[in-house]
Amino acid sequence: MSATALRPRKVDRPPIRGTIDHSAAVTEDAGLTLALRLAAFVGLYAFAAGHWIAMLTDPPAARLWVTVLIVTLGAGVLALSGHWRLGPAAAAFARFGVIAAMLIASAVAMGIEPRLLLPGGWGDLAAGIDRGINGSVIALWPYDGPDPWVRQVVALLPVIVGVACAAMAFWPGEWLARPGRVGALVALVALYTAAAAERDFGSQGARGLLLLALIAAWLWLPRMRGREAAVAASIVAAAGVLA
């Protein structure tokens, strides 16, 4: 008997039904986690920034919501940049570009003239910001004075805080994940606290409970799954925007 006859025959087995594509499941889970993190960010950022700009009479609410949208989109791009096929240096350069684009677009959305963001306008921009800061030191809140730069400086602070928090909380990499999220949480809570210390918004107890709910969502919402996660994310985002 030949060796060929003794060799076991290869049997083509049909694919097993019901097998799970683990790579697809992991990708879907990561996408859901990112969506929940963004929902928590929108809720807390809109809540804090909305109270801050309420320190102005006739606050630029529409401009703020555009800013929240820009910063949230930028945060999502930053988080997804972890999947870009770039070297470490190129990836870091691209991420800083995203942060710069967020800052510029948000500043324009909040009323800064684009010409002031060009090198030729930096002198006027610095002088205006200095004037606004000095004026805000002696201002009464809510501010209804005539100096446009005081209003502009107040409106710009949520831009700076929001972009910084997006960078801290959504920069990819395990080394920054926990401290970045904690730092962003502290900064957003501080923004609300500073506004509440300067102006009485009323219903402080209810606002405090809502703040605690938004903090809890920031900490635990990304761990939720299923229909409960979708419902909770919608409630958190809506609560922050409507508060």
Side-chain angles (χ1 to χ4, degrees):
M1 184 177 295
S2 65
T4 304
L6 294 175
R7 185 178 302 168
R9 297 176 60 188
K10 182 179 179 181
V11 179
D12 294 331
R13 297 180 180 178
I16 301 174
R17 296 182 179 180
T19 56
I20 300 175
D21 186 347
H22 292 286
S23 61
V26 170
T27 301
E28 182 179 354
D29 186 70
L32 176 59
T33 299
L34 175 58
L36 295 175
R37 288 175 60 198
L38 288 171
F41 177 78
V42 168
L44 188 54
Y45 179 36
F47 178 81
H51 281 83
W52 178 262
I53 66 164
M55 293 173 63
L56 300 171
T57 57
D58 191 21
R63 289 183 177 275
L64 176 64
W65 306 139
V66 174
T67 297
V68 171
L69 177 61
I70 292 171
V71 174
T72 303
L73 290 175
V77 173
L78 272 181
L80 293 174
S81 69
H83 301 287
W84 294 349
R85 296 181 178 179
L86 297 174
F93 183 80
R95 288 165 192 150
F96 281 117
V98 172
I99 294 171
M102 268 196 292
L103 186 59
I104 292 171
S106 300
V108 172
M110 285 301 282
I112 289 291
E113 296 181 36
R115 68 173 184 84
L116 296 177
L117 299 175
L118 298 175
W122 289 352
D124 292 339
L125 178 62
I129 291 176
D130 182 67
R131 171 180 160 182
I133 292 174
N134 291 332
S136 66
V137 172
I138 59 174
L140 298 177
W141 309 107
Y143 181 75
D144 61 352
D147 193 335
W149 274 106
V150 173
R151 293 182 61 87
Q152 193 65 78
V153 164
V154 172
L156 276 178
L157 186 61
V159 170
I160 297 170
V161 172
V163 172
C165 290
M168 287 190 292
F170 292 93
W171 187 284
E174 293 296 329
W175 64 276
L176 189 60
R178 186 180 297 274
R181 283 179 55 78
V182 171
L185 174 62
V186 170
L188 291 174
V189 172
L191 183 64
Y192 166 76
T193 304
E198 292 292 341
R199 180 179 177 182
D200 182 9
F201 293 102
S203 304
Q204 293 290 8
R207 294 177 190 276
L209 289 175
L210 180 54
L211 176 61
L212 288 177
L214 292 170
I215 292 173
W218 180 279
L219 296 174
W220 292 295
L221 180 60
R223 303 178 186 179
M224 299 180 69
R225 291 295 179 268
R227 182 177 300 176
E228 293 81 3
V231 173
S234 301
I235 293 173
V236 167
V241 170
L242 298 176

PDB file of all heavy atoms in Angstrom, residues 43-62:
ATOM      1  N   GLY A  43     -23.290  67.155  27.201  1.00  0.00           N
ATOM      2  CA  GLY A  43     -24.150  67.541  28.310  1.00  0.00           C
ATOM      3  C   GLY A  43     -23.452  68.445  29.309  1.00  0.00           C
ATOM      4  O   GLY A  43     -23.962  69.517  29.666  1.00  0.00           O
ATOM      5  N   LEU A  44     -22.271  68.038  29.757  1.00  0.00           N
ATOM      6  CA  LEU A  44     -21.574  68.810  30.787  1.00  0.00           C
ATOM      7  C   LEU A  44     -21.006  70.111  30.226  1.00  0.00           C
ATOM      8  O   LEU A  44     -21.060  71.165  30.881  1.00  0.00           O
ATOM      9  CB  LEU A  44     -20.460  67.961  31.398  1.00  0.00           C
ATOM     10  CG  LEU A  44     -19.758  68.549  32.627  1.00  0.00           C
ATOM     11  CD1 LEU A  44     -20.762  68.916  33.713  1.00  0.00           C
ATOM     12  CD2 LEU A  44     -18.723  67.568  33.164  1.00  0.00           C
ATOM     13  N   TYR A  45     -20.483  70.066  29.011  1.00  0.00           N
ATOM     14  CA  TYR A  45     -19.920  71.277  28.404  1.00  0.00           C
ATOM     15  C   TYR A  45     -21.007  72.314  28.146  1.00  0.00           C
ATOM     16  O   TYR A  45     -20.840  73.501  28.458  1.00  0.00           O
ATOM     17  CB  TYR A  45     -19.201  70.907  27.106  1.00  0.00           C
ATOM     18  CG  TYR A  45     -18.585  72.079  26.367  1.00  0.00           C
ATOM     19  CD1 TYR A  45     -18.020  73.153  27.049  1.00  0.00           C
ATOM     20  CD2 TYR A  45     -18.555  72.100  24.977  1.00  0.00           C
ATOM     21  CE1 TYR A  45     -17.445  74.216  26.364  1.00  0.00           C
ATOM     22  CE2 TYR A  45     -17.981  73.163  24.282  1.00  0.00           C
ATOM     23  CZ  TYR A  45     -17.436  74.210  24.982  1.00  0.00           C
ATOM     24  OH  TYR A  45     -16.873  75.263  24.298  1.00  0.00           O
ATOM     25  N   ALA A  46     -22.130  71.889  27.587  1.00  0.00           N
ATOM     26  CA  ALA A  46     -23.218  72.830  27.323  1.00  0.00           C
ATOM     27  C   ALA A  46     -23.767  73.409  28.622  1.00  0.00           C
ATOM     28  O   ALA A  46     -24.091  74.601  28.698  1.00  0.00           O
ATOM     29  CB  ALA A  46     -24.326  72.131  26.538  1.00  0.00           C
ATOM     30  N   PHE A  47     -23.865  72.589  29.650  1.00  0.00           N
ATOM     31  CA  PHE A  47     -24.361  73.050  30.952  1.00  0.00           C
ATOM     32  C   PHE A  47     -23.438  74.118  31.531  1.00  0.00           C
ATOM     33  O   PHE A  47     -23.883  75.201  31.936  1.00  0.00           O
ATOM     34  CB  PHE A  47     -24.464  71.856  31.899  1.00  0.00           C
ATOM     35  CG  PHE A  47     -24.910  72.200  33.289  1.00  0.00           C
ATOM     36  CD1 PHE A  47     -26.250  72.383  33.580  1.00  0.00           C
ATOM     37  CD2 PHE A  47     -23.983  72.327  34.313  1.00  0.00           C
ATOM     38  CE1 PHE A  47     -26.661  72.698  34.868  1.00  0.00           C
ATOM     39  CE2 PHE A  47     -24.382  72.637  35.606  1.00  0.00           C
ATOM     40  CZ  PHE A  47     -25.726  72.826  35.884  1.00  0.00           C
ATOM     41  N   ALA A  48     -22.142  73.832  31.569  1.00  0.00           N
ATOM     42  CA  ALA A  48     -21.190  74.768  32.164  1.00  0.00           C
ATOM     43  C   ALA A  48     -21.057  76.039  31.326  1.00  0.00           C
ATOM     44  O   ALA A  48     -21.103  77.159  31.854  1.00  0.00           O
ATOM     45  CB  ALA A  48     -19.830  74.090  32.319  1.00  0.00           C
ATOM     46  N   ALA A  49     -20.900  75.881  30.016  1.00  0.00           N
ATOM     47  CA  ALA A  49     -20.714  77.044  29.155  1.00  0.00           C
ATOM     48  C   ALA A  49     -21.975  77.897  29.081  1.00  0.00           C
ATOM     49  O   ALA A  49     -21.900  79.134  29.009  1.00  0.00           O
ATOM     50  CB  ALA A  49     -20.305  76.591  27.753  1.00  0.00           C
ATOM     51  N   GLY A  50     -23.137  77.257  29.096  1.00  0.00           N
ATOM     52  CA  GLY A  50     -24.384  78.008  29.060  1.00  0.00           C
ATOM     53  C   GLY A  50     -24.550  78.896  30.281  1.00  0.00           C
ATOM     54  O   GLY A  50     -25.020  80.040  30.179  1.00  0.00           O
ATOM     55  N   HIS A  51     -24.170  78.387  31.443  1.00  0.00           N
ATOM     56  CA  HIS A  51     -24.241  79.212  32.645  1.00  0.00           C
ATOM     57  C   HIS A  51     -23.200  80.329  32.604  1.00  0.00           C
ATOM     58  O   HIS A  51     -23.456  81.444  33.069  1.00  0.00           O
ATOM     59  CB  HIS A  51     -24.040  78.351  33.890  1.00  0.00           C
ATOM     60  CG  HIS A  51     -25.261  77.592  34.297  1.00  0.00           C
ATOM     61  ND1 HIS A  51     -25.605  76.383  33.732  1.00  0.00           N
ATOM     62  CD2 HIS A  51     -26.246  77.884  35.191  1.00  0.00           C
ATOM     63  CE1 HIS A  51     -26.730  75.954  34.271  1.00  0.00           C
ATOM     64  NE2 HIS A  51     -27.149  76.841  35.153  1.00  0.00           N
ATOM     65  N   TRP A  52     -22.034  80.035  32.050  1.00  0.00           N
ATOM     66  CA  TRP A  52     -20.999  81.067  32.016  1.00  0.00           C
ATOM     67  C   TRP A  52     -21.413  82.251  31.146  1.00  0.00           C
ATOM     68  O   TRP A  52     -21.280  83.406  31.557  1.00  0.00           O
ATOM     69  CB  TRP A  52     -19.681  80.480  31.518  1.00  0.00           C
ATOM     70  CG  TRP A  52     -18.608  81.519  31.413  1.00  0.00           C
ATOM     71  CD1 TRP A  52     -18.209  82.188  30.292  1.00  0.00           C
ATOM     72  CD2 TRP A  52     -17.830  82.060  32.487  1.00  0.00           C
ATOM     73  NE1 TRP A  52     -17.229  83.096  30.586  1.00  0.00           N
ATOM     74  CE2 TRP A  52     -16.974  83.041  31.935  1.00  0.00           C
ATOM     75  CE3 TRP A  52     -17.765  81.808  33.856  1.00  0.00           C
ATOM     76  CZ2 TRP A  52     -16.069  83.766  32.703  1.00  0.00           C
ATOM     77  CZ3 TRP A  52     -16.862  82.530  34.628  1.00  0.00           C
ATOM     78  CH2 TRP A  52     -16.027  83.494  34.055  1.00  0.00           C
ATOM     79  N   ILE A  53     -21.918  82.000  29.940  1.00  0.00           N
ATOM     80  CA  ILE A  53     -22.272  83.128  29.073  1.00  0.00           C
ATOM     81  C   ILE A  53     -23.531  83.838  29.558  1.00  0.00           C
ATOM     82  O   ILE A  53     -23.821  84.949  29.107  1.00  0.00           O
ATOM     83  CB  ILE A  53     -22.438  82.707  27.598  1.00  0.00           C
ATOM     84  CG1 ILE A  53     -23.625  81.770  27.426  1.00  0.00           C
ATOM     85  CG2 ILE A  53     -21.167  82.108  27.051  1.00  0.00           C
ATOM     86  CD1 ILE A  53     -24.066  81.651  25.981  1.00  0.00           C
ATOM     87  N   ALA A  54     -24.259  83.213  30.494  1.00  0.00           N
ATOM     88  CA  ALA A  54     -25.406  83.902  31.085  1.00  0.00           C
ATOM     89  C   ALA A  54     -24.961  85.033  32.007  1.00  0.00           C
ATOM     90  O   ALA A  54     -25.799  85.770  32.528  1.00  0.00           O
ATOM     91  CB  ALA A  54     -26.278  82.914  31.853  1.00  0.00           C
ATOM     92  N   MET A  55     -23.657  85.181  32.192  1.00  0.00           N
ATOM     93  CA  MET A  55     -23.143  86.333  32.927  1.00  0.00           C
ATOM     94  C   MET A  55     -23.221  87.600  32.085  1.00  0.00           C
ATOM     95  O   MET A  55     -22.896  88.692  32.558  1.00  0.00           O
ATOM     96  CB  MET A  55     -21.701  86.075  33.364  1.00  0.00           C
ATOM     97  CG  MET A  55     -21.578  84.965  34.401  1.00  0.00           C
ATOM     98  SD  MET A  55     -19.870  84.525  34.746  1.00  0.00           S
ATOM     99  CE  MET A  55     -19.256  86.057  35.427  1.00  0.00           C
ATOM    100  N   LEU A  56     -23.632  87.455  30.830  1.00  0.00           N
ATOM    101  CA  LEU A  56     -23.852  88.595  29.942  1.00  0.00           C
ATOM    102  C   LEU A  56     -25.348  88.807  29.767  1.00  0.00           C
ATOM    103  O   LEU A  56     -26.113  87.843  29.682  1.00  0.00           O
ATOM    104  CB  LEU A  56     -23.225  88.335  28.568  1.00  0.00           C
ATOM    105  CG  LEU A  56     -21.717  88.096  28.516  1.00  0.00           C
ATOM    106  CD1 LEU A  56     -21.324  87.648  27.117  1.00  0.00           C
ATOM    107  CD2 LEU A  56     -20.947  89.337  28.931  1.00  0.00           C
ATOM    108  N   THR A  57     -25.766  90.059  29.702  1.00  0.00           N
ATOM    109  CA  THR A  57     -27.142  90.312  29.292  1.00  0.00           C
ATOM    110  C   THR A  57     -27.237  90.024  27.793  1.00  0.00           C
ATOM    111  O   THR A  57     -26.303  90.302  27.035  1.00  0.00           O
ATOM    112  CB  THR A  57     -27.527  91.776  29.559  1.00  0.00           C
ATOM    113  OG1 THR A  57     -26.614  92.636  28.877  1.00  0.00           O
ATOM    114  CG2 THR A  57     -27.491  92.072  31.053  1.00  0.00           C
ATOM    115  N   ASP A  58     -28.340  89.464  27.387  1.00  0.00           N
ATOM    116  CA  ASP A  58     -28.515  89.050  25.995  1.00  0.00           C
ATOM    117  C   ASP A  58     -27.346  88.177  25.542  1.00  0.00           C
ATOM    118  O   ASP A  58     -26.618  88.508  24.600  1.00  0.00           O
ATOM    119  CB  ASP A  58     -28.647  90.272  25.083  1.00  0.00           C
ATOM    120  CG  ASP A  58     -29.105  89.896  23.677  1.00  0.00           C
ATOM    121  OD1 ASP A  58     -29.696  88.805  23.522  1.00  0.00           O
ATOM    122  OD2 ASP A  58     -28.848  90.676  22.745  1.00  0.00           O
ATOM    123  N   PRO A  59     -27.136  87.034  26.206  1.00  0.00           N
ATOM    124  CA  PRO A  59     -25.980  86.184  25.881  1.00  0.00           C
ATOM    125  C   PRO A  59     -26.087  85.603  24.474  1.00  0.00           C
ATOM    126  O   PRO A  59     -27.186  85.362  23.973  1.00  0.00           O
ATOM    127  CB  PRO A  59     -26.054  85.079  26.944  1.00  0.00           C
ATOM    128  CG  PRO A  59     -27.484  85.038  27.347  1.00  0.00           C
ATOM    129  CD  PRO A  59     -27.980  86.448  27.263  1.00  0.00           C
ATOM    130  N   PRO A  60     -24.945  85.362  23.836  1.00  0.00           N
ATOM    131  CA  PRO A  60     -24.939  84.817  22.466  1.00  0.00           C
ATOM    132  C   PRO A  60     -25.196  83.307  22.461  1.00  0.00           C
ATOM    133  O   PRO A  60     -24.300  82.504  22.161  1.00  0.00           O
ATOM    134  CB  PRO A  60     -23.534  85.160  21.973  1.00  0.00           C
ATOM    135  CG  PRO A  60     -22.702  85.141  23.212  1.00  0.00           C
ATOM    136  CD  PRO A  60     -23.584  85.658  24.315  1.00  0.00           C
ATOM    137  N   ALA A  61     -26.421  82.920  22.774  1.00  0.00           N
ATOM    138  CA  ALA A  61     -26.735  81.498  22.930  1.00  0.00           C
ATOM    139  C   ALA A  61     -26.545  80.724  21.627  1.00  0.00           C
ATOM    140  O   ALA A  61     -25.980  79.620  21.627  1.00  0.00           O
ATOM    141  CB  ALA A  61     -28.163  81.343  23.438  1.00  0.00           C
ATOM    142  N   ALA A  62     -27.017  81.285  20.511  1.00  0.00           N
ATOM    143  CA  ALA A  62     -26.888  80.574  19.237  1.00  0.00           C
ATOM    144  C   ALA A  62     -25.419  80.348  18.883  1.00  0.00           C
ATOM    145  O   ALA A  62     -25.038  79.271  18.401  1.00  0.00           O
ATOM    146  CB  ALA A  62     -27.589  81.356  18.129  1.00  0.00           C
TER     147      ALA A  62
END
